[in-house]
Amino acid sequence: MKQPSYAVVGGGILGAATARRLLQLQPEASVTLLEKEPVLAEHQTGHNSGVVHAGLYYTPGSLKAKLCRRGVGLLQEFCAEHELTYDECGKVLVALDEAEKSRLADIKERAVANGVPGVRELDAAELREIEPHVTGVAGLHSPHTAIVDYAAVTRAMAKDITDAGGTVRTSFEVTGLRQDGQQTLIRGSDGQEERADQVVLCAGLQSDRVAALAGDEPDPRIVPFRGEYYLLRPERRDLVRGLIYPVPDPRYPFLGVHMTPRVDGEVMVGPNAVLALAREGYGWSRVSARDLRDAVGWPGFRRFAAKHWLTGATEMLGSLSKQRFIGAARRYVPELTTADVVSGPRGVRAQALDADGSLVDDFRINRRGPVLSVRNAPSPAATSSLAIAEYIVDTLLDRKEAAA
């Protein structure tokens, strides 16, 4: 009897988790992970802030909420098994006024509904006990929010794949997908080919384009937003003990500048969110006419920009002015100055936009015959990766768990 074959396109954490899960359930199968870069985790995964999100904000019952909570447990177990750092440094949301304080109760209600453990509201004095350099009228504490190194997690997943008999092929950029009898023929940019009975597309920043190769719809379109960070100088890292976040404003699409310790000891300040000039453009110098045309030409982006132009202008000013950028963090860490930071890493977020201009908030996964496409996997996708992989593979194998 012929053994099943699978190809997973995209060597970020989600693709690696999916290939690993396939081999867990079907160890006899042929499973190949394809990545266009020479190494895995080169883009969103490798530029991730490293936060293991506890599930505070997500709509109860949504895929985000369910898979985030499941993913946290799986990720913690994975890190323990593979001797990777998993640091429950905790997280506080800082309310600066009464309006923000009033929103904390709703966030706590969502967190409790999602099963987030230990969440509690703080008054100003309790907030200062947890974060002595923070100023706010109130806060919300999530003591089990953690940090990890997602690139290291991805590399460990890749080792699990090869140890289980799977294949990891790097420098394989997918340029064509077509049915060839009972299999899908996958073409690479340099003439390479791969065949598989079923294909999973986890292409991140290129997810809409790769899905289009399989005949999927153009909606939603990926629009890239670059996030820029500063790093605290080593002698100023004592300003921060754990994760320090603003209270999200539901009127705006992005969270705002926050402070994030990393497992390597660095502390990041950021990010902002500006339209990237290329899907893989981590600075102003990288410009792609095609990427800009695809973004600006998408009706969904024009509608989004018309609604949020003021926020976009504010984010742009923060990108151009260090003082303005750091000023956003100074609102809740007033001791912070521009002299306390140096330029830090940058990442690009693959944000899916529907044609009506709305941000696609929940995870979105489409299936067309033997090809399953992950069309939207924003934060907390890294946190949720092992649980998303379970969901994908259950869907692929028509297991009942996928519908739960």
Side-chain angles (χ1 to χ4, degrees), residues 283-299:
W284 290 110
S285 61
R286 174 75 186 275
V287 180
S288 165
R290 180 194 179 193
D291 292 350
L292 276 175
R293 185 174 61 249
D294 281 357
V296 177
W298 178 240

Side-chain angles (χ1 to χ4, degrees), residues 129-140:
E129 287 178 8
I130 294 171
E131 290 289 351
H133 300 279
V134 165
T135 297
V137 301
L140 188 71

